[in-house]
Amino acid sequence: MKTIYRTIIFTALLSAAATGASGQFLRSAYFMDKSVERHNLNPALVPDRGYVTIPFVGSLNASYTSNNLALSDLFYQRDGKLVTFLDNRVNPEEFLRGLKSNNQINVDMRYDLVQAGWWKNDAFWSFGISVKLNTSLGIPKSLFEFLKEGNGTDGRTYNISDLRMRMDAYTELSVGYARDIDSKWSVGGKLKFLPGLGNLDMRFQNLHATLNDQEWNITSRGELYTSLKGLEFQEKTDDNGSPYISGFDLDSFGMGGFGMAVDMGAQYKFDRNLRFSAAVLDLGFISWSKNATRFAKADGEFTYDGFQLPIGDSDLPSVSDQFDAMKDDLENLFRFKEEGDGTARTSMLVATVVLGAEYGIMDNKITFGLLSTTRFYQPKAYTELTVSANFKPVYWFTGTLSYSTVHSNFQTYGFALNFSPNGFNFFIGSDYMVTKVNSQFIPLNARAENIYFGMSVPLKYRNYKAVKTKSKKEPKFY
């Protein structure tokens, strides 16, 4: 058995401590015309050659972004050791002054089982099967204050509002089509079918805590929706005889819902050197079935003994033990009660709007790109601006150096490399390549991290006869 709060709290407070599993694409690949990844950012931007990925090892994209939280906000060096913010040697003012009133964390992952694209006459067709995970967390500063200062004096009150978490896991089956309308315009689109694997939506509208006589009086109001086939809640009873959810059992697994989405994109070639492009991605929904949905509610009052964190002793616990202690205490604080069977519900995908501009020099062997991506997380959208220099010296190699202005904070840079000799294609890249680590090789100052790599087998060019020559020069499609 596995407690539901262990999953919620571990993900919410430790996702900043690892490279997660802002988006499910690599911005640095947007202007790389050899990359098979670029049409995941804009379905009108297709590679010059068809391709098929190697099944199950084709590509993986994982990313973590935050509007504020870096690892250095949660971990500190004290006496030559790495400790958490809970340690008594970390001053509360030092820890809390770097936090915003609401701290957003987004963790996304895309794993491509099969991806393929091919040219048929003047059109590019594509097909893919992927597994996707989107996680969005909103952690108010008041919760961190409660964690850090929660053993204070009588009469101390904390008002923890708008604590939320959302997770979506689903399979994506996509069919894409792209073509040139004329010498200026190119358009593309994808239709996506989405078997839903699971969804969790938790929100505390209010969690009011007042310390009286070394005991906390808790008033909570929140909701928890889960949509996962075969999920059953388990309950415990508190000292007052009131039941609350302590965990869950999963006795089967399957499709809990079904949805659809579309991608739409276009590119305009102003002249040989200047291009503009735009796209809307993941515009769609998943409807979760009634049989797979459970609903729980937190709406009442109870007493709570408070935190018993073994932090700051001479025999210092490990970092994992410190988080385990906090996790156990929070499990007792977040109390939901099941409210009967759930009802059918619908969740919207995290849509993305992409805008790009590219200018080339030296016969377009070097180009400069400007890219804006806006992800519509709930409750707030986030925009990232990326500038890049793209190098295309030979037909079998392209490279990119990039910098993203919002999350990098001059601590990271981006790169992408695409090798496409005859018979093989390999791609690797990151929008947030860490440049500074501590003595344990941990990137403490990074507010974003991601990695993408993929391998595929190239197919024929768009105009196969154009490259079937002794010169082996790259064909021109302008």
Side-chain angles (χ1 to χ4, degrees), residues 227-461:
S227 295
L228 183 64
K229 187 176 181 180
L231 178 71
E232 295 292 340
F233 288 133
Q234 291 193 341
E235 291 187 341
K236 285 184 178 180
T237 302
D238 64 17
D239 294 338
N240 298 322
S242 299
Y244 65 94
I245 296 172
S246 60
F248 63 85
D249 278 333
L250 190 63
D251 55 19
S252 64
F253 186 75
M255 189 174 72
F258 185 81
M260 297 183 66
V262 295
D263 293 352
M264 299 176 290
Q267 177 180 244
Y268 176 71
K269 302 175 184 177
F270 183 80
D271 56 27
R272 179 180 174 85
N273 299 315
L274 181 61
R275 305 181 183 194
F276 300 96
S277 56
V280 178
L281 310 176
D282 290 329
L283 190 61
F285 66 93
I286 299 178
S287 292
W288 303 97
S289 69
K290 175 181 179 180
N291 293 335
T293 300
R294 296 290 180 268
F295 171 61
K297 194 174 183 179
D299 189 8
E301 298 183 6
F302 60 93
T303 58
Y304 173 57
D305 292 337
F307 294 102
Q308 305 294 327
L309 298 173
I311 308 302
D313 297 338
S314 56
D315 185 15
L316 184 68
S318 68
V319 168
S320 61
D321 288 340
Q322 295 177 34
F323 272 112
D324 283 340
M326 178 183 64
K327 203 166 53 198
D328 292 338
D329 285 320
L330 286 177
E331 286 176 9
N332 293 321
L333 180 63
F334 295 167
R335 296 189 182 182
F336 287 99
K337 180 180 179 181
E338 187 171 8
E339 295 289 328
D341 294 334
T343 59
R345 47 193 290 265
T346 298
S347 61
M348 303 300 294
L349 298 190
V350 180
T352 304
V353 173
V354 180
L355 300 172
E358 182 182 21
Y359 183 78
I361 60 175
M362 299 179 61
D363 197 25
N364 284 311
K365 291 189 178 296
I366 298 178
T367 68
F368 302 94
L370 179 64
L371 181 67
S372 170
T373 54
T374 301
R375 293 274 284 174
F376 290 89
Y377 292 104
Q378 294 182 2
K380 184 178 180 181
Y382 287 91
T383 298
E384 182 72 277
L385 190 65
T386 301
V387 294
S388 64
N390 313 285
F391 307 93
K392 311 170 187 180
V394 292
Y395 79 96
W396 56 267
F397 171 75
T398 55
T400 290
L401 291 176
S402 68
Y403 175 76
S404 297
T405 61
V406 175
H407 295 106
S408 292
N409 196 30
F410 298 102
Q411 300 290 336
T412 66
Y413 65 92
F415 83 99
L417 302 174
N418 192 85
F419 301 89
S420 53
N422 290 332
F424 184 73
N425 186 90
F426 175 73
F427 178 90
I428 187 170
S430 173
D431 294 321
Y432 309 102
M433 177 56 63
V434 176
T435 59
K436 184 178 180 180
V437 297
N438 70 353
S439 58
Q440 288 87 15
F441 299 98
I442 298 175
L444 292 178
N445 295 323
R447 288 180 169 80
E449 300 174 55
N450 75 342
I451 186 68
Y452 178 94
F453 65 88
M455 295 181 289
S456 62
V457 177
L459 304 178
K460 70 177 183 179
Y461 279 95

Side-chain angles (χ1 to χ4, degrees), residues 39 42-47 118-126 176-190 265-269 462:
H39 74 94
N42 185 331
L45 304 182
V46 295
W118 62 94
W119 285 98
K120 179 66 174 178
N121 297 326
D122 294 329
F124 184 83
W125 292 86
S126 62
Y177 177 84
R179 66 175 302 125
D180 293 341
I181 297 178
D182 53 33
S183 61
K184 295 287 188 181
W185 284 97
S186 302
V187 296
K190 287 185 180 181
Q267 177 180 244
Y268 176 71
K269 302 175 184 177
R462 176 180 183 180

Side-chain angles (χ1 to χ4, degrees), residues 30-80:
Y30 191 81
F31 300 108
M32 300 180 69
D33 54 9
K34 301 296 185 300
S35 172
V36 302
E37 164 69 3
R38 69 192 311 237
H39 74 94
N40 288 318
L41 292 90
N42 185 331
L45 304 182
V46 295
D48 292 340
R49 303 182 68 170
Y51 69 94
V52 57
T53 61
I54 301 173
F56 303 103
V57 296
S59 60
L60 173 68
N61 192 346
S63 67
Y64 159 82
T65 58
S66 174
N67 69 329
N68 183 60
L69 283 176
L71 295 183
S72 58
D73 296 312
L74 302 178
F75 296 92
Y76 296 81
Q77 290 284 350
R78 293 293 185 270
D79 300 330

